[in-house]
Amino acid sequence: MVDRLAGKVAIVTGAGSGMGKAISQLFAKEGAKAVLADINAQGIEEVKQAIEQAGGQAAAKVTNVVKQEDVDGVIDFATQTFGQLDILVNNAGIMDNFTPVGNLTDAEYERVMAINLTGPVKLCRAAIQVMEKQETGGVIINNASVGGLFGTRGGAAYTMAKHALVGLTKNIAGTYGRFGKVRANAIAPGGVATNIQTTITAPDPLGMQALQATGETPIGQPGQIANLALFLASDEASFINGDIVKADGGWTVN
């Protein structure tokens, strides 16, 4: 099968590297017009060039998902550049040094929640206002992490944000998916080889002890997550709504 996203327009946050980069490139390969959103201007420009060199279509927009003006700006940019918005992938996120709540500072809590939860909330809100007016509706995919399903796969702030993102996904699915035209699902990756690890600057010893007790972490590749995102974004997944799909190499089977 080819061109599974032909004619679609997709915004991918965190598109400058890692899973966001892989998702953007695969979506473009499958016919989507990819809107690359990231705070890293150089990263999204390089991804844009790679997509265009491969024969795809892409546009880059520097976006800080915490800022409402940037959120509104990237939604407007997508619709003005390509005329519609069919897919939103909330992929941008950071880790939190596995800090347990007893050691969590207000500053760290607020930063993690702002990027990992408030940003996706703002983007979902803005995207839905466009998608629900379109005859074909739209699809939202949130990158929720196994940290959104289990309590020791991240620090307190990260875990709270990802659990809330799971709840947001289900709420959108239960309202706009059942009674509107916007499907919503989430991906829950385990360990994936991306540069998000660079946001772990000073791991908390107690948090790391809790993480290590979960056993050896299988490490996936960004392309493996991109393949799942492609399926969920495509019409092949038209009857899948409100699901949280794990992609963790079996890390959480026990």
Side-chain angles (χ1 to χ4, degrees):
M1 294 179 289
V2 294
D3 295 335
R4 283 179 278 183
L5 300 182
K8 304 291 187 181
V9 176
I11 293 176
V12 181
T13 69
S17 62
M19 290 181 281
K21 175 181 177 180
I23 291 168
S24 299
Q25 291 180 314
L26 183 57
F27 278 20
K29 181 180 179 181
E30 290 290 339
K33 301 175 181 69
V35 178
L36 315 173
D38 201 305
I39 201 168
N40 181 351
Q42 180 179 346
I44 52 175
E45 183 58 34
E46 291 174 355
V47 175
K48 177 179 179 289
Q49 292 177 8
I51 288 172
E52 291 175 342
Q53 289 170 2
Q57 289 183 267
K61 178 69 171 175
V62 175
T63 305
N64 182 343
V65 299
V66 173
K67 295 182 177 180
Q68 186 65 54
E69 58 267 32
D70 281 18
V71 168
D72 294 337
V74 74
I75 298 292
D76 290 344
F77 177 74
T79 56
Q80 291 172 11
T81 303
F82 295 121
Q84 62 198 63
L85 175 59
D86 305 287
I87 303 161
L88 168 65
V89 181
N90 280 311
N91 168 76
I94 59 171
M95 295 295 292
D96 67 351
N97 284 317
F98 304 103
T99 306
V101 69
N103 298 331
L104 182 62
T105 66
D106 286 351
E108 185 175 23
Y109 170 79
E110 290 166 4
R111 180 168 182 263
V112 172
M113 295 297 283
I115 296 171
N116 289 4
L117 177 61
T118 305
V121 170
K122 291 177 183 291
L123 280 154
C124 287
R125 180 175 61 193
I128 283 171
Q129 292 172 6
V130 174
M131 292 175 174
E132 66 179 347
K133 297 174 184 177
Q134 298 176 158
E135 183 177 349
T136 54
V139 177
I140 292 173
I141 300 170
N142 292 321
N143 195 339
S145 164
V146 293
L149 302 174
F150 301 93
T152 54
R153 268 66 178 187
Y158 182 86
T159 300
M160 284 187 284
K162 294 300 186 177
H163 271 73
L165 194 56
V166 167
L168 173 66
T169 303
K170 292 181 178 181
N171 183 264
I172 292 171
T175 50
Y176 296 96
R178 289 190 64 193
F179 305 108
K181 297 181 289 186
V182 181
R183 284 192 300 114
N185 294 289
I187 298 173
V192 181
T194 74
N195 66 353
I196 196 173
Q197 306 302 326
T198 63
T199 66
I200 304 172
T201 54
D204 185 280
L206 179 57
M208 286 302 297
Q209 183 179 359
L211 176 65
Q212 290 163 0
T214 65
E216 184 177 356
T217 309
I219 301 298
Q221 297 300 315
Q224 293 173 299
I225 307 303
N227 286 330
L228 177 53
L230 171 62
F231 170 68
L232 292 174
S234 74
D235 291 339
E236 298 162 42
S238 60
F239 199 53
I240 300 176
N241 182 46
D243 203 4
I244 315 301
V245 185
K246 289 189 297 179
D248 67 353
W251 186 24
T252 57
V253 293
N254 295 325

